[in-house]
Amino acid sequence: MTVRNLGKTLIIANPAAHSGKGEQAIPRLERFFSLYQDVCESIDIQTTAAPLDAVHLAAGASEMDTVIVLGGDGVIHEAVNGLMSLDPECRPTLGIVAMGTGNDFARTLGLSFNDPDSSLAELVAGKTRKIDLGLVSSDLPSEGSPINPQETYFVETLSFGMDAAIALDTTERREADAHKEGSGLFVSSSVKMALTNSSGHPCDVVIDDERLWLNEVIFAIQNGPTYGGGFRICPDADPSDGLLDICYNTIRPPIPYLLNLLARARFGTHVSSPAVSLRKAKSIHLDFHGAQPPCQADGERVVGTRFEVSIIPQALDVIFA
């Protein structure tokens, strides 16, 4: 096995990740890097204590060769937004020790999750790959984007309408009760949101050069294939192909049919339904004509009434299995 050298390494660790298991994993990382000193030139472990800490820590990492993020998709999202504020010439490689509820980005990279020992082995034996990132700009500022309040990078998923309402509800419920997690949480939120968010959100959409008028219930834009802890909403999404994958409803399905679609999305079989369409695109424009739909990027709330979404090809070096 070839062991890579990570160079100057910053670890951004979220102690609260995965119901507090993130804190238990930090001593494992400290022990690993003290035993195997030849895998990096230096190591600096910083913990997050509040939202957006990971953004600021990553934005200050221009002297580092590698930034390792220990936590779930939310803290990874924050760290990536911090890294993207750096000049590309001094932007560190991203590695992850996935400790979260959904872990969809780890799934996309073929990495282990909620298993720090396996993740560490993958970091020192893995390969580096350039991946694309999505970028969403809106007409209103979001509190979760301190670098530029009106634009947010996303590593895995951006969604509107019921998709977003489900993601935001799962985040809120996890914050209220750390023991709620996994696909079961996503399913229960899906049922709850289908009863309150199934009427749709009228929207003008331009996908590349094609204009559509949609009453949008499901509108997911993916860089990787899954969301919600493994639901294969865009099964063919590839984070290195220079394209975003889109799944959206073509008709407004009744609630029982909608719940059936969500259940089928677990395995990606919803793609055969005439109620949904899948597309690939480089840019998407959405105009909700003054209304603010539920919107989320990697589980973080985004606000606005008009959105411009684009792909940033080959934006970031990441370590994958």
Side-chain angles (χ1 to χ4, degrees), residues 20-229:
K21 293 184 177 67
E23 185 170 16
Q24 299 170 23
I26 294 173
R28 291 191 184 185
L29 270 66
E30 294 173 331
R31 187 163 51 250
F32 177 87
F33 286 105
S34 66
L35 289 173
Y36 302 99
Q37 297 182 14
D38 58 336
V39 302
C40 63
E41 183 179 332
S42 64
I43 192 80
D44 180 18
I45 300 178
Q46 298 287 333
T47 58
T48 61
L52 309 182
D53 280 357
V55 179
H56 299 296
L57 288 169
S62 60
E63 300 298 318
M64 296 293 174
D65 299 301
T66 306
V67 169
I68 297 171
V69 181
L70 185 156
D73 289 331
V75 72
I76 294 170
H77 170 86
E78 286 191 10
V80 166
N81 275 272
L83 290 174
M84 290 303 292
S85 71
L86 299 175
D87 188 289
E89 296 300 318
C90 58
R91 189 175 294 151
T93 296
L94 174 68
I96 64 172
V97 176
M99 295 286 293
T101 298
N103 298 307
D104 286 296
F105 187 52
R107 296 171 199 270
T108 292
L109 298 179
L111 297 172
S112 302
F113 48 89
N114 299 331
D115 183 349
D117 294 332
S118 294
S119 295
L120 288 166
E122 290 164 351
L123 284 172
V124 299
K127 300 175 183 178
T128 300
R129 168 184 178 185
K130 285 190 178 295
I131 66 163
D132 311 326
L133 293 177
L135 175 65
V136 55
S137 302
S138 70
D139 59 336
L140 297 174
S142 297
E143 293 181 1
S145 307
I147 303 297
N148 184 336
Q150 289 182 247
E151 70 176 32
T152 302
Y153 293 92
F154 58 96
V155 298
E156 185 75 11
T157 182
L158 171 74
S159 64
F160 301 86
M162 194 179 74
D163 297 63
I166 292 168
L168 294 170
D169 184 65
T170 58
T171 299
E172 291 171 1
R173 291 170 65 195
R174 280 198 307 270
E175 290 174 351
D177 184 350
H179 297 290
K180 293 181 181 293
E181 58 183 44
S183 58
L185 175 60
F186 183 84
V187 170
S188 61
S189 286
S190 298
V191 174
K192 175 183 174 184
M193 292 299 127
L195 297 174
T196 56
N197 284 268
S198 61
S199 59
H201 301 269
C203 181
D204 271 321
V205 180
V206 179
I207 299 175
D208 287 338
D209 294 325
E210 182 180 356
R211 182 177 295 275
L212 304 170
W213 171 252
L214 299 176
N215 188 17
E216 170 266 309
V217 178
I218 299 169
F219 200 100
I221 302 172
Q222 296 287 128
N223 193 37
T226 69
Y227 70 3

